[in-house]
PDB file of all heavy atoms in Angstrom:
ATOM      1  N   GLU A 107    -127.490 224.096 -44.924  1.00  0.00           N
ATOM      2  CA  GLU A 107    -126.973 223.293 -46.036  1.00  0.00           C
ATOM      3  C   GLU A 107    -125.483 223.673 -46.295  1.00  0.00           C
ATOM      4  O   GLU A 107    -124.651 222.821 -46.534  1.00  0.00           O
ATOM      5  CB  GLU A 107    -127.818 223.520 -47.255  1.00  0.00           C
ATOM      6  CG  GLU A 107    -127.389 222.740 -48.524  1.00  0.00           C
ATOM      7  CD  GLU A 107    -127.520 221.216 -48.370  1.00  0.00           C
ATOM      8  OE1 GLU A 107    -128.462 220.764 -47.686  1.00  0.00           O
ATOM      9  OE2 GLU A 107    -126.665 220.476 -48.910  1.00  0.00           O
ATOM     10  N   LEU A 108    -125.248 224.982 -46.263  1.00  0.00           N
ATOM     11  CA  LEU A 108    -123.870 225.462 -46.466  1.00  0.00           C
ATOM     12  C   LEU A 108    -122.925 224.860 -45.431  1.00  0.00           C
ATOM     13  O   LEU A 108    -121.856 224.367 -45.755  1.00  0.00           O
ATOM     14  CB  LEU A 108    -123.831 226.986 -46.398  1.00  0.00           C
ATOM     15  CG  LEU A 108    -122.486 227.654 -46.550  1.00  0.00           C
ATOM     16  CD1 LEU A 108    -121.934 227.471 -47.966  1.00  0.00           C
ATOM     17  CD2 LEU A 108    -122.501 229.126 -46.191  1.00  0.00           C
ATOM     18  N   VAL A 109    -123.358 224.896 -44.180  1.00  0.00           N
ATOM     19  CA  VAL A 109    -122.503 224.362 -43.102  1.00  0.00           C
ATOM     20  C   VAL A 109    -122.286 222.857 -43.285  1.00  0.00           C
ATOM     21  O   VAL A 109    -121.178 222.356 -43.109  1.00  0.00           O
ATOM     22  CB  VAL A 109    -123.137 224.674 -41.714  1.00  0.00           C
ATOM     23  CG1 VAL A 109    -122.452 223.879 -40.639  1.00  0.00           C
ATOM     24  CG2 VAL A 109    -123.038 226.166 -41.459  1.00  0.00           C
ATOM     25  N   ALA A 110    -123.351 222.153 -43.688  1.00  0.00           N
ATOM     26  CA  ALA A 110    -123.234 220.726 -43.919  1.00  0.00           C
ATOM     27  C   ALA A 110    -122.228 220.441 -45.012  1.00  0.00           C
ATOM     28  O   ALA A 110    -121.407 219.478 -44.928  1.00  0.00           O
ATOM     29  CB  ALA A 110    -124.576 220.114 -44.260  1.00  0.00           C
ATOM     30  N   ARG A 111    -122.260 221.239 -46.092  1.00  0.00           N
ATOM     31  CA  ARG A 111    -121.294 221.034 -47.175  1.00  0.00           C
ATOM     32  C   ARG A 111    -119.858 221.360 -46.730  1.00  0.00           C
ATOM     33  O   ARG A 111    -118.946 220.622 -47.105  1.00  0.00           O
ATOM     34  CB  ARG A 111    -121.666 221.976 -48.349  1.00  0.00           C
ATOM     35  CG  ARG A 111    -123.031 221.735 -48.988  1.00  0.00           C
ATOM     36  CD  ARG A 111    -123.039 220.491 -49.852  1.00  0.00           C
ATOM     37  NE  ARG A 111    -124.334 220.436 -50.523  1.00  0.00           N
ATOM     38  CZ  ARG A 111    -124.532 220.720 -51.780  1.00  0.00           C
ATOM     39  NH1 ARG A 111    -123.514 221.097 -52.565  1.00  0.00           N
ATOM     40  NH2 ARG A 111    -125.721 220.638 -52.334  1.00  0.00           N
ATOM     41  N   ILE A 112    -119.702 222.418 -45.948  1.00  0.00           N
ATOM     42  CA  ILE A 112    -118.356 222.779 -45.471  1.00  0.00           C
ATOM     43  C   ILE A 112    -117.833 221.642 -44.585  1.00  0.00           C
ATOM     44  O   ILE A 112    -116.692 221.183 -44.760  1.00  0.00           O
ATOM     45  CB  ILE A 112    -118.380 224.115 -44.669  1.00  0.00           C
ATOM     46  CG1 ILE A 112    -118.742 225.256 -45.591  1.00  0.00           C
ATOM     47  CG2 ILE A 112    -117.039 224.350 -43.999  1.00  0.00           C
ATOM     48  CD1 ILE A 112    -119.047 226.581 -44.870  1.00  0.00           C
ATOM     49  N   PHE A 113    -118.693 221.192 -43.727  1.00  0.00           N
ATOM     50  CA  PHE A 113    -118.333 220.100 -42.762  1.00  0.00           C
ATOM     51  C   PHE A 113    -117.863 218.860 -43.555  1.00  0.00           C
ATOM     52  O   PHE A 113    -116.853 218.290 -43.281  1.00  0.00           O
ATOM     53  CB  PHE A 113    -119.592 219.783 -41.964  1.00  0.00           C
ATOM     54  CG  PHE A 113    -119.457 218.743 -40.936  1.00  0.00           C
ATOM     55  CD1 PHE A 113    -119.003 219.025 -39.648  1.00  0.00           C
ATOM     56  CD2 PHE A 113    -119.797 217.408 -41.218  1.00  0.00           C
ATOM     57  CE1 PHE A 113    -118.892 218.042 -38.675  1.00  0.00           C
ATOM     58  CE2 PHE A 113    -119.700 216.444 -40.245  1.00  0.00           C
ATOM     59  CZ  PHE A 113    -119.185 216.727 -38.982  1.00  0.00           C
ATOM     60  N   SER A 114    -118.692 218.510 -44.529  1.00  0.00           N
ATOM     61  CA  SER A 114    -118.392 217.329 -45.329  1.00  0.00           C
ATOM     62  C   SER A 114    -117.099 217.512 -46.157  1.00  0.00           C
ATOM     63  O   SER A 114    -116.285 216.610 -46.274  1.00  0.00           O
ATOM     64  CB  SER A 114    -119.609 217.019 -46.186  1.00  0.00           C
ATOM     65  OG  SER A 114    -119.238 216.351 -47.337  1.00  0.00           O
ATOM     66  N   LEU A 115    -116.966 218.712 -46.724  1.00  0.00           N
ATOM     67  CA  LEU A 115    -115.785 218.981 -47.580  1.00  0.00           C
ATOM     68  C   LEU A 115    -114.507 218.949 -46.771  1.00  0.00           C
ATOM     69  O   LEU A 115    -113.503 218.313 -47.174  1.00  0.00           O
ATOM     70  CB  LEU A 115    -115.965 220.362 -48.208  1.00  0.00           C
ATOM     71  CG  LEU A 115    -114.867 220.884 -49.102  1.00  0.00           C
ATOM     72  CD1 LEU A 115    -114.613 219.858 -50.250  1.00  0.00           C
ATOM     73  CD2 LEU A 115    -115.224 222.204 -49.703  1.00  0.00           C
ATOM     74  N   ILE A 116    -114.501 219.587 -45.608  1.00  0.00           N
ATOM     75  CA  ILE A 116    -113.281 219.601 -44.802  1.00  0.00           C
ATOM     76  C   ILE A 116    -112.881 218.190 -44.350  1.00  0.00           C
ATOM     77  O   ILE A 116    -111.726 217.795 -44.453  1.00  0.00           O
ATOM     78  CB  ILE A 116    -113.488 220.509 -43.557  1.00  0.00           C
ATOM     79  CG1 ILE A 116    -113.603 221.957 -43.973  1.00  0.00           C
ATOM     80  CG2 ILE A 116    -112.364 220.327 -42.535  1.00  0.00           C
ATOM     81  CD1 ILE A 116    -113.985 222.926 -42.919  1.00  0.00           C
ATOM     82  N   ARG A 117    -113.890 217.393 -44.041  1.00  0.00           N
ATOM     83  CA  ARG A 117    -113.568 216.026 -43.608  1.00  0.00           C
ATOM     84  C   ARG A 117    -113.138 215.147 -44.777  1.00  0.00           C
ATOM     85  O   ARG A 117    -112.328 214.244 -44.643  1.00  0.00           O
ATOM     86  CB  ARG A 117    -114.755 215.437 -42.867  1.00  0.00           C
ATOM     87  CG  ARG A 117    -114.658 215.669 -41.395  1.00  0.00           C
ATOM     88  CD  ARG A 117    -115.928 215.766 -40.652  1.00  0.00           C
ATOM     89  NE  ARG A 117    -115.687 216.294 -39.325  1.00  0.00           N
ATOM     90  CZ  ARG A 117    -115.536 217.579 -39.028  1.00  0.00           C
ATOM     91  NH1 ARG A 117    -115.615 218.487 -39.981  1.00  0.00           N
ATOM     92  NH2 ARG A 117    -115.334 217.991 -37.802  1.00  0.00           N
ATOM     93  N   ARG A 118    -113.713 215.426 -45.930  1.00  0.00           N
ATOM     94  CA  ARG A 118    -113.359 214.571 -47.083  1.00  0.00           C
ATOM     95  C   ARG A 118    -111.889 214.834 -47.477  1.00  0.00           C
ATOM     96  O   ARG A 118    -111.235 213.966 -48.011  1.00  0.00           O
ATOM     97  CB  ARG A 118    -114.265 215.029 -48.240  1.00  0.00           C
ATOM     98  CG  ARG A 118    -114.507 213.900 -49.261  1.00  0.00           C
ATOM     99  CD  ARG A 118    -115.646 214.205 -50.158  1.00  0.00           C
ATOM    100  NE  ARG A 118    -115.425 215.340 -51.046  1.00  0.00           N
ATOM    101  CZ  ARG A 118    -116.325 216.244 -51.374  1.00  0.00           C
ATOM    102  NH1 ARG A 118    -117.543 216.191 -50.860  1.00  0.00           N
ATOM    103  NH2 ARG A 118    -116.057 217.202 -52.212  1.00  0.00           N
ATOM    104  N   LEU A 119    -111.450 216.074 -47.256  1.00  0.00           N
ATOM    105  CA  LEU A 119    -110.069 216.400 -47.654  1.00  0.00           C
ATOM    106  C   LEU A 119    -108.991 216.002 -46.659  1.00  0.00           C
ATOM    107  O   LEU A 119    -107.823 216.100 -46.884  1.00  0.00           O
ATOM    108  CB  LEU A 119    -109.926 217.888 -47.945  1.00  0.00           C
ATOM    109  CG  LEU A 119    -110.792 218.402 -49.132  1.00  0.00           C
ATOM    110  CD1 LEU A 119    -110.692 219.904 -49.237  1.00  0.00           C
ATOM    111  CD2 LEU A 119    -110.344 217.750 -50.443  1.00  0.00           C
ATOM    112  N   ARG A 120    -109.495 215.501 -45.483  1.00  0.00           N
ATOM    113  CA  ARG A 120    -108.500 215.060 -44.492  1.00  0.00           C
ATOM    114  C   ARG A 120    -108.540 213.543 -44.436  1.00  0.00           C
ATOM    115  O   ARG A 120    -109.578 212.928 -44.415  1.00  0.00           O
ATOM    116  CB  ARG A 120    -108.879 215.602 -43.110  1.00  0.00           C
ATOM    117  CG  ARG A 120    -108.664 217.059 -43.013  1.00  0.00           C
ATOM    118  CD  ARG A 120    -108.907 217.483 -41.608  1.00  0.00           C
ATOM    119  NE  ARG A 120    -108.583 218.863 -41.409  1.00  0.00           N
ATOM    120  CZ  ARG A 120    -108.674 219.521 -40.260  1.00  0.00           C
ATOM    121  NH1 ARG A 120    -109.074 218.837 -39.195  1.00  0.00           N
ATOM    122  NH2 ARG A 120    -108.353 220.766 -40.174  1.00  0.00           N
ATOM    123  N   PHE A 121    -107.334 213.005 -44.363  1.00  0.00           N
ATOM    124  CA  PHE A 121    -107.306 211.547 -44.317  1.00  0.00           C
ATOM    125  C   PHE A 121    -106.754 211.052 -43.002  1.00  0.00           C
ATOM    126  O   PHE A 121    -105.869 210.250 -42.898  1.00  0.00           O
ATOM    127  CB  PHE A 121    -106.466 211.010 -45.500  1.00  0.00           C
ATOM    128  CG  PHE A 121    -107.018 211.420 -46.818  1.00  0.00           C
ATOM    129  CD1 PHE A 121    -106.510 212.493 -47.507  1.00  0.00           C
ATOM    130  CD2 PHE A 121    -108.112 210.742 -47.363  1.00  0.00           C
ATOM    131  CE1 PHE A 121    -107.050 212.890 -48.686  1.00  0.00           C
ATOM    132  CE2 PHE A 121    -108.646 211.117 -48.567  1.00  0.00           C
ATOM    133  CZ  PHE A 121    -108.095 212.202 -49.229  1.00  0.00           C
ATOM    134  N   ASP A 122    -107.197 211.683 -41.913  1.00  0.00           N
ATOM    135  CA  ASP A 122    -106.733 211.278 -40.568  1.00  0.00           C
ATOM    136  C   ASP A 122    -107.948 211.031 -39.660  1.00  0.00           C
ATOM    137  O   ASP A 122    -109.055 210.799 -40.127  1.00  0.00           O
ATOM    138  CB  ASP A 122    -105.826 212.386 -39.982  1.00  0.00           C
ATOM    139  CG  ASP A 122    -106.489 213.709 -39.970  1.00  0.00           C
ATOM    140  OD1 ASP A 122    -107.756 213.758 -40.006  1.00  0.00           O
ATOM    141  OD2 ASP A 122    -105.790 214.752 -39.995  1.00  0.00           O
ATOM    142  N   SER A 123    -107.694 211.096 -38.368  1.00  0.00           N
ATOM    143  CA  SER A 123    -108.711 210.711 -37.427  1.00  0.00           C
ATOM    144  C   SER A 123    -109.915 211.697 -37.407  1.00  0.00           C
ATOM    145  O   SER A 123    -110.928 211.418 -36.778  1.00  0.00           O
ATOM    146  CB  SER A 123    -108.132 210.635 -36.027  1.00  0.00           C
ATOM    147  OG  SER A 123    -107.547 211.885 -35.741  1.00  0.00           O
ATOM    148  N   CYS A 124    -109.735 212.830 -38.092  1.00  0.00           N
ATOM    149  CA  CYS A 124    -110.870 213.792 -38.119  1.00  0.00           C
ATOM    150  C   CYS A 124    -112.087 213.243 -38.801  1.00  0.00           C
ATOM    151  O   CYS A 124    -113.157 213.840 -38.750  1.00  0.00           O
ATOM    152  CB  CYS A 124    -110.450 215.080 -38.803  1.00  0.00           C
ATOM    153  SG  CYS A 124    -109.554 216.147 -37.694  1.00  0.00           S
ATOM    154  N   ASN A 125    -111.896 212.144 -39.550  1.00  0.00           N
ATOM    155  CA  ASN A 125    -113.027 211.538 -40.262  1.00  0.00           C
ATOM    156  C   ASN A 125    -113.927 210.723 -39.332  1.00  0.00           C
ATOM    157  O   ASN A 125    -114.800 210.032 -39.770  1.00  0.00           O
ATOM    158  CB  ASN A 125    -112.568 210.671 -41.426  1.00  0.00           C
ATOM    159  CG  ASN A 125    -112.323 211.541 -42.660  1.00  0.00           C
ATOM    160  OD1 ASN A 125    -112.804 212.706 -42.691  1.00  0.00           O
ATOM    161  ND2 ASN A 125    -111.585 211.050 -43.616  1.00  0.00           N
ATOM    162  N   VAL A 126    -113.627 210.844 -38.049  1.00  0.00           N
ATOM    163  CA  VAL A 126    -114.487 210.156 -37.047  1.00  0.00           C
ATOM    164  C   VAL A 126    -115.163 211.217 -36.183  1.00  0.00           C
ATOM    165  O   VAL A 126    -114.472 212.132 -35.719  1.00  0.00           O
ATOM    166  CB  VAL A 126    -113.653 209.186 -36.225  1.00  0.00           C
ATOM    167  CG1 VAL A 126    -114.492 208.603 -35.082  1.00  0.00           C
ATOM    168  CG2 VAL A 126    -113.088 208.089 -37.093  1.00  0.00           C
ATOM    169  N   ILE A 127    -116.440 211.132 -36.009  1.00  0.00           N
ATOM    170  CA  ILE A 127    -117.119 212.093 -35.137  1.00  0.00           C
ATOM    171  C   ILE A 127    -117.752 211.372 -33.984  1.00  0.00           C
ATOM    172  O   ILE A 127    -118.459 210.332 -34.194  1.00  0.00           O
ATOM    173  CB  ILE A 127    -118.261 212.806 -35.957  1.00  0.00           C
ATOM    174  CG1 ILE A 127    -117.677 213.463 -37.214  1.00  0.00           C
ATOM    175  CG2 ILE A 127    -118.941 213.825 -35.094  1.00  0.00           C
ATOM    176  CD1 ILE A 127    -118.736 213.776 -38.234  1.00  0.00           C
ATOM    177  N   ASP A 128    -117.477 211.873 -32.777  1.00  0.00           N
ATOM    178  CA  ASP A 128    -118.136 211.270 -31.615  1.00  0.00           C
ATOM    179  C   ASP A 128    -119.128 212.224 -31.004  1.00  0.00           C
ATOM    180  O   ASP A 128    -118.796 213.387 -30.708  1.00  0.00           O
ATOM    181  CB  ASP A 128    -117.023 210.913 -30.591  1.00  0.00           C
ATOM    182  CG  ASP A 128    -116.295 209.665 -31.007  1.00  0.00           C
ATOM    183  OD1 ASP A 128    -116.978 208.677 -31.375  1.00  0.00           O
ATOM    184  OD2 ASP A 128    -115.056 209.660 -31.037  1.00  0.00           O
ATOM    185  N   GLN A 129    -120.335 211.766 -30.850  1.00  0.00           N
ATOM    186  CA  GLN A 129    -121.404 212.576 -30.202  1.00  0.00           C
ATOM    187  C   GLN A 129    -121.896 211.720 -29.029  1.00  0.00           C
ATOM    188  O   GLN A 129    -122.879 210.982 -29.181  1.00  0.00           O
ATOM    189  CB  GLN A 129    -122.537 212.809 -31.198  1.00  0.00           C
ATOM    190  CG  GLN A 129    -122.190 213.785 -32.295  1.00  0.00           C
ATOM    191  CD  GLN A 129    -122.235 215.232 -31.809  1.00  0.00           C
ATOM    192  OE1 GLN A 129    -123.243 215.679 -31.239  1.00  0.00           O
ATOM    193  NE2 GLN A 129    -121.127 215.941 -31.967  1.00  0.00           N
TER     194      GLN A 129
END
Side-chain angles (χ1 to χ4, degrees):
Chain A
E107 179 66 34
L108 177 68
V109 168
R111 298 285 186 103
I112 294 170
F113 181 87
S114 152
L115 179 57
I116 291 172
R117 268 150 192 83
R118 208 166 66 218
L119 296 174
R120 288 186 175 182
F121 300 99
D122 54 22
S123 56
C124 278
N125 275 343
V126 173
I127 304 162
D128 285 311
Q129 289 282 306

